[in-house]
Amino acid sequence: MCPCPGPHRPPAAGALTLTLTFAGGSRWEKQRRLAEPSAHDDDLCLLAYQLMDAAGLQRGRLTALALKAEDLISAHQAAEQISLDDAREDRLIPEEAIDRIRAKFGPRVIGPAAVYRRAS
């Protein structure tokens, strides 16, 4: 648990590193840095997709894939920038609420709707 006052927030990453291991043992590794550290799903997913695109996979036989967050800092230390993108801001509001719910009730209490069974 974070010793900082206020609600717990996941650490912010300054970079992501993608490591791919292919059949035969060869490896490919690439790191990309964020413009500023972020713990927001949008920022991290976009960077992960950019890394996958950079790998240029066509028909390579992967045996392992690892995505690692690097240069972690407390989310309380990360700058909070005001965005003029209303759609992005609308996605960030529930993300904060989800983080608070997970901090209080555990990481498995909330997730994508597709993983939960329909109530009978």
Side-chain angles (χ1 to χ4, degrees), residues 98 102 107-117:
I98 290 168
R102 285 182 176 149
R108 300 191 68 175
V109 75
I110 193 168
V115 300
Y116 294 103
R117 290 184 297 157

Side-chain angles (χ1 to χ4, degrees), residues 1-69:
M1 200 64 163
C2 179
C4 307
H8 172 73
R9 292 170 40 197
L16 292 179
T17 300
L18 176 66
T19 304
L20 304 174
T21 305
F22 298 94
S26 64
R27 290 172 52 121
W28 182 90
E29 185 172 293
K30 183 89 169 175
Q31 182 183 73
R32 290 247 168 109
R33 303 197 61 72
L34 289 150
E36 59 186 348
S38 177
H40 294 300
D41 293 346
D42 279 0
D43 300 335
L44 299 174
C45 284
L46 177 63
L47 193 58
Y49 284 129
Q50 289 173 351
L51 283 166
M52 287 299 292
D53 288 344
L57 296 176
Q58 302 263 326
R59 296 179 186 224
R61 292 180 42 212
L62 287 177
T63 57
L65 178 147
L67 183 65
K68 183 169 61 169

Side-chain angles (χ1 to χ4, degrees), residues 44-117:
L44 299 174
C45 284
L46 177 63
L47 193 58
Y49 284 129
Q50 289 173 351
L51 283 166
M52 287 299 292
D53 288 344
L57 296 176
Q58 302 263 326
R59 296 179 186 224
R61 292 180 42 212
L62 287 177
T63 57
L65 178 147
L67 183 65
K68 183 169 61 169
E70 307 259 20
D71 301 333
L72 298 178
I73 64 167
S74 167
H76 297 284
Q77 294 175 322
E80 196 166 328
Q81 184 168 341
I82 297 171
S83 173
L84 299 177
D85 182 352
D86 290 337
R88 175 181 162 76
E89 289 300 312
D90 289 345
R91 289 188 303 271
L92 296 181
I93 291 169
E95 189 177 302
E96 243 180 79
I98 290 168
D99 289 344
R100 287 194 306 270
I101 291 168
R102 285 182 176 149
K104 185 172 184 175
F105 298 106
R108 300 191 68 175
V109 75
I110 193 168
V115 300
Y116 294 103
R117 290 184 297 157

